[in-house]
Amino acid sequence: LCGDFQKQVPFPFSLLCLQVIKCKAAVMWEANKPFSIEEVEVAPPKAHEVRIKIVATGICRSDDHVITGGLVMPFPIILGHEAAGIVESVGQGVTSIKPGDKVIPLFVPQCGECSSCLNTKGNLCSKNDIGSGAGLMPDGTTRFTCKGKAIHHFIGTSTFTEYTVVHESAVAKIDSAAPLEKVCLIGCGFSTGYGAAVQTAKVEPGSTCAIFGLGGVGLSVVMGCKAAGASRIIAVDINSDKFAKAKELGATDCVNPKDFKKPVHEVLIEMTGHGVDYSFEVIGCTETMTAALACCQYNYGVSVIVGVPPAAQKITFDPMLLFTGRTWKGSVFGGWKSKDSVPKLVADYMKKKFVLEPLITHTLPFTKINEGFDLLRTGK
């Protein structure tokens, strides 16, 4: 009704339909505690903002990093960043999105004006909230309140709520026929992993790859390596239950470091004769980051850090690992320019260029979010 109303009535009067919405949200009041399902108030979108009804949201390890302190953010907070939904209303000046559009929120925005957005090599828009961790909208305020308290946003998205507000630069309009309960994964996990292989590393046909960590993002790296034509894809995880799915999606070999007495990078060098062409760390652990670097070919190997690094931890490594020619790279959101690329990735999914279904292990009602995180933490 709001959308129809806005079509018929001049803009100043259409503001009448932009009211505070009361809805359910999973609020994280403090670290290392369960989510609390609360009634929250979601303010109307301000100028250049969009309010979205969230239809489906994925659980990502990055959300859990906030709970455990591995990723420092202010509390109380509404987490969640991998989602899809339908636009409920828009603020003044929004031109690219209208009520009723199917959309995916973007934790890496694309303002189109900063140095990263303007450079063909960049994708980490300066308007992102990953580094600063302010937990607020770009204007320095929040759109969420609960029990009279202001609730922080999470990296510009906050999708563990029935309604959220994002900046216009942090939302992408997608195909109206797309199944939101599947393409929500393009909001983070799939795009991050798949892009790390095809966009950041630019894996070549016939190459050898190693992937450390076989969660949803790691499995998406496997898919990206296969799509790029890698001839050997070695999946590495301490949970052997992950291996069947990895092979289903393209892994040629599976390695459990617990099965060996020697360091895993030595195992991989022996398996390949000279080390892998490309390695990917998709865990967020400093030990596996250095192991992934060490396992790639000493002169032209490329290692990509995909997992979020833990807060306040440093890496100590032998600089000879880089002096001999290896390349060490990072990848945020798979290197994609978000607003441009997400609609294209959804279109590719609709054309069956890749699958998302194998990445979805469970579907739960929103109120069982704590059970979902238990499944994540137990590797299920």
Side-chain angles (χ1 to χ4, degrees):
L1 285 173
C2 181
D4 291 337
F5 186 73
Q6 285 181 323
K7 290 173 193 170
Q8 297 168 25
V9 182
F11 183 78
F13 296 100
S14 70
L15 289 174
L16 290 170
C17 72
L18 299 186
Q19 303 293 330
V20 170
I21 286 178
K22 291 185 178 181
C23 67
K24 287 180 183 175
V27 178
M28 180 58 55
W29 292 102
E30 55 184 305
N32 295 302
K33 292 289 176 67
F35 288 92
S36 179
I37 303 295
E38 305 277 8
E39 181 180 82
V40 299
E41 293 85 41
V42 184
K46 294 184 180 181
H48 301 291
E49 294 178 357
V50 179
R51 188 159 60 182
I52 304 166
K53 177 181 173 64
I54 298 295
V55 173
T57 183
I59 289 175
C60 177
R61 181 67 75 170
S62 300
D63 301 308
D64 195 46
H65 285 334
V66 179
I67 298 168
T68 60
L71 181 59
V72 178
M73 292 283 166
F75 292 93
I77 191 168
I78 294 174
L79 298 174
H81 62 285
E82 178 182 88
I86 299 169
V87 174
E88 177 270 337
S89 58
V90 299
Q92 188 173 4
V94 174
T95 57
S96 61
I97 303 283
K98 67 181 185 303
D101 284 346
K102 284 188 175 181
V103 293
I104 288 179
L106 308 169
F107 72 90
V108 173
Q110 186 181 345
C111 72
E113 299 170 353
C114 70
S115 59
S116 289
C117 285
L118 293 173
N119 192 304
T120 56
K121 298 176 184 176
N123 81 311
L124 186 55
C125 175
S126 66
K127 300 291 197 295
N128 81 84
D129 191 37
I130 299 170
S132 66
L136 299 168
M137 294 294 287
D139 70 351
T141 63
T142 176
R143 302 293 166 270
F144 300 119
T145 54
C146 180
K147 299 177 179 176
K149 294 183 179 179
I151 308 296
H152 290 92
H153 293 249
F154 179 51
I155 52 178
T157 50
S158 288
T159 63
F160 292 165
T161 170
E162 291 177 321
Y163 287 86
T164 192
V165 177
V166 303
H167 192 268
E168 186 181 11
S169 64
V171 60
K173 180 182 175 180
I174 61 169
D175 186 341
S176 61
L180 300 183
E181 74 282 1
K182 294 174 183 174
V183 298
C184 63
L185 299 184
I186 292 173
C188 178
F190 173 78
S191 303
T192 297
Y194 191 80
V198 303
Q199 184 80 4
T200 304
K202 292 181 168 59
V203 170
E204 299 149 324
S207 56
T208 300
C209 304
I211 297 97
F212 288 67
L214 300 175
V217 184
L219 291 172
S220 298
V221 177
V222 171
M223 294 165 69
C225 292
K226 183 181 180 182
S231 61
R232 196 170 184 190
I233 301 170
I234 305 170
V236 183
D237 203 295
I238 58 173
N239 181 357
S240 297
D241 292 342
K242 303 276 190 180
F243 293 163
K245 183 70 67 74
K247 287 187 173 178
E248 175 191 335
L249 294 174
T252 57
D253 305 80
C254 294
V255 172
N256 188 330
K258 289 182 174 180
D259 294 340
F260 301 88
K261 292 182 180 178
K262 62 182 69 175
V264 68
H265 74 273
E266 293 182 12
V267 174
L268 295 173
I269 291 172
E270 286 182 10
M271 285 176 67
T272 56
H274 52 71
V276 300
D277 299 308
Y278 300 95
S279 67
F280 302 85
E281 199 280 350
V282 203
I283 301 166
C285 172
T286 55
E287 289 181 21
T288 42
M289 288 173 186
T290 49
L293 177 66
C295 82
C296 65
Q297 207 276 349
Y298 73 96
N299 178 222
Y300 54 78
V302 176
S303 187
V304 183
I305 293 175
V306 188
V308 178
Q313 288 193 26
K314 308 296 181 190
I315 291 181
T316 302
F317 69 99
D318 182 353
M320 188 61 73
L321 287 169
L322 293 178
F323 176 76
T324 55
R326 289 180 180 88
T327 301
W328 211 357
K329 305 182 78 169
S331 181
V332 179
F333 195 59
W336 305 108
K337 286 188 184 292
S338 59
K339 210 168 171 71
D340 292 342
S341 300
V342 163
K344 294 175 184 175
L345 287 166
V346 171
D348 284 347
Y349 168 75
M350 298 298 283
K351 293 173 188 170
K352 296 182 166 51
K353 290 188 178 180
F354 55 81
V355 295
L356 294 172
E357 290 78 1
L359 301 176
I360 302 169
T361 59
H362 298 76
T363 301
L364 299 169
F366 180 45
T367 52
K368 292 193 176 181
I369 188 168
N370 286 307
E371 292 180 30
F373 273 83
D374 289 340
L375 290 165
L376 174 80
R377 293 165 187 143
T378 52
K380 295 175 183 176

